[in-house]
Amino acid sequence: MSKISRFGKELYTGERSFDFVGRRILWYVISAVVLVIVSGGLMLQGGLNLGIDFTGGTRYTVTVEQADQDLADDLRSAVGDTDVAAADGATVRTAGGESIVIETKSIADGSEADQSIIEAITATADVPEDDISRTGIGPSWGERVATKAALALGIFLIGVVLFIWIYFKEWKMSVAAVVALCHDVLLTVGVYAIIGFEVSPATVTGFLTILGYSLYDTVVVFDKVKENTRNLGLKKQTYAQAANLAVNQTLVRSINTTIVGLLPVVAILYVSAVQLGTSSLKDISLVLFVGMAVGTYSSIFIATPLLVHLKSKEKDVVDAEKRAEARMREADKYAAVPVFDDGMPVPAADEPEELRESESDDLHEAGVARGTSPNTSPTGRGRNVPNQQRSVSDSGAAGRPQPKRESRSKRK
């Protein structure tokens, strides 16, 4: 059996366990600090870099014989060198093997600025003006796109709440899952803003995709939590222990699934950002990369610990905690009873009784119970002898003298 398989087996059986639930305050603090950092970066960047699909603008599509990144870079420089203010910071990307798309701020059709940009494109790409198509996107279109994106996100969140509530029959699981999703969205948006990638419709698609991925991982963990906490009153675990076991049991699966999912996303991100330059693949791949990694983190460190926190006051959970404490006290009944160890002196057989009694007193002061010490056990059983209530007196019923307790030195 490989080390990974053995490690996964130990996590599943509980032989090895990481305390995710018990350290939930630490995870909350870490997540809060990260969210504050990305929120500060978002404010410093002045918000997201919205594309013309949201803000409005002008799009020029150039048909060429071979569309490559070198030509796209040349067109970006040529358009930026014009005296048109709306062309500053123009976005240039390849679209297939024979088209290059140039996006600028809104420019009036047929204006002098429009003609300057077209002349720069034709001179750089060596194409006739007929091979350039121009499309104007108004602000109203961008507002409709943003409204529909927000509507899709709202419908998705409502569907998540209803699905988890119906499937698990537990509204607190819905709350924990939605909090984890919001955590993923805020963190991904902050990272996206700090890097400065342009937000396009492909970005919105990526956001919806990572929400589904994060929800999928959370549902898998919650399903294991439900299985481990079923009939909690008949088990010897608390709700927190059972939930933590569920996270450990699904830990290897979550990590493996995330790695397998991230590998192609990393490849797409590298090709789109390094090889192709600016492209719609870069927009969606960055969202997928950050969102998938953050979604796995939130499923393990946020959703389940938050669920345990929300259910900590329920009667069944509190009763399970009390039973666990009672079992611990029962198992630790004789934990305070001292025992001899290898370092303690053992009296010799011919040692005087007075010296033995002195050593016995020393041992008793050191915490070692003597045979005639008072019994601290409430049941009168155990390692300690009960207290002697009175001396043994002679009785005629036995027909003989009764024995009396004497020290060994006085015995005959």
Side-chain angles (χ1 to χ4, degrees), residues 22 165 257-258:
W165 195 347
T257 304
T258 303

Side-chain angles (χ1 to χ4, degrees), residues 5 28 37 107 127 164 197 260 284 332 348 350 373 404:
S5 299
Y28 296 163
I37 293 174
I107 299 175
V127 293
I164 297 180
F197 278 17
V260 172
I284 191 172
D332 202 36
D350 56 350
S373 61
K404 295 182 180 179

Side-chain angles (χ1 to χ4, degrees), residues 58 60 107-119 134:
T58 304
Y60 300 91
I107 299 175
D109 186 12
S111 63
E112 183 178 350
D114 184 49
Q115 291 298 322
S116 298
I117 292 178
I118 292 177
E119 290 175 1
R134 180 188 184 282

Side-chain angles (χ1 to χ4, degrees), residues 88-388:
D88 292 339
T91 301
V92 182
R93 56 183 173 84
T94 59
E98 298 181 350
S99 297
I100 295 180
V101 177
I102 303 170
E103 296 176 343
T104 66
K105 297 179 181 179
S106 182
I107 299 175
D109 186 12
S111 63
E112 183 178 350
D114 184 49
Q115 291 298 322
S116 298
I117 292 178
I118 292 177
E119 290 175 1
I121 294 174
T122 55
T124 304
D126 193 19
V127 293
E129 187 173 338
D130 294 338
D131 290 341
I132 302 174
S133 62
R134 180 188 184 282
T135 304
I137 301 175
S140 59
W141 167 255
E143 292 177 0
R144 286 198 297 270
V145 172
T147 302
K148 291 182 178 179
L151 179 62
L153 179 60
I155 294 175
F156 178 84
L157 293 177
I158 294 174
V160 166
V161 173
L162 294 178
F163 168 75
I164 297 180
W165 195 347
I166 294 172
Y167 181 75
F168 292 106
K169 299 179 181 179
E170 177 62 71
W171 65 269
K172 292 180 180 179
M173 285 188 173
S174 299
V175 173
V178 171
V179 170
L181 287 176
C182 293
H183 167 272
D184 298 344
V185 172
L186 292 175
L187 198 56
T188 306
V189 168
V191 173
Y192 208 88
I194 293 174
I195 295 179
F197 278 17
E198 184 181 77
V199 178
S200 64
T203 307
V204 177
T205 304
F207 274 115
L208 296 177
T209 303
I210 65 169
L211 292 179
Y213 184 90
S214 176
L215 174 65
Y216 168 75
D217 205 32
T218 302
V219 168
V220 170
V221 178
F222 280 2
D223 191 60
K224 198 63 181 178
V225 172
K226 181 182 178 182
E227 178 183 339
N228 290 353
T229 57
R230 187 180 292 114
N231 299 323
L232 189 62
L234 304 178
K235 297 183 177 181
K236 296 183 179 181
Q237 286 181 316
T238 64
Y239 190 92
Q241 292 171 343
N244 191 73
L245 177 62
V247 178
N248 281 274
Q249 289 174 331
T250 57
L251 179 63
V252 174
R253 176 207 161 278
S254 298
I255 294 175
N256 291 339
T257 304
T258 303
I259 293 175
V260 172
L262 285 178
L263 287 177
V265 174
V266 171
I268 295 173
L269 180 60
Y270 173 78
V271 171
S272 59
V274 178
Q275 302 293 331
L276 301 180
T278 304
S279 67
S280 58
L281 288 177
K282 183 180 70 174
D283 302 335
I284 191 172
S285 59
L286 177 63
V287 173
L288 291 177
F289 177 79
V290 177
M292 290 172 66
V294 173
T296 302
Y297 168 84
S298 65
S299 300
I300 297 173
F301 295 96
I302 301 297
T304 306
L306 180 59
L307 173 64
V308 174
H309 187 82
L310 292 174
K311 292 180 68 67
S312 60
K313 302 300 181 181
E314 292 186 2
K315 184 179 183 302
D316 295 342
V317 177
V318 173
D319 291 343
E321 294 281 351
K322 292 180 179 178
R323 287 193 297 269
E325 292 177 1
R327 284 192 296 269
M328 289 295 296
R329 288 195 300 268
E330 183 67 21
D332 202 36
K333 184 176 180 180
Y334 297 112
V337 177
V339 296
F340 285 96
D341 59 23
D342 295 337
M344 290 185 176
V346 179
D350 56 350
E351 191 174 355
E353 181 67 24
E354 292 79 5
L355 183 57
R356 293 189 181 190
E357 290 180 357
S358 176
E359 290 180 353
S360 177
D361 291 338
D362 294 338
L363 293 174
H364 180 66
E365 291 177 359
V368 180
R370 293 182 293 186
T372 58
S373 61
N375 181 23
T376 58
S377 173
T379 60
R381 300 190 300 272
R383 301 181 182 180
N384 297 323
V385 179
N387 293 333
Q388 183 176 348

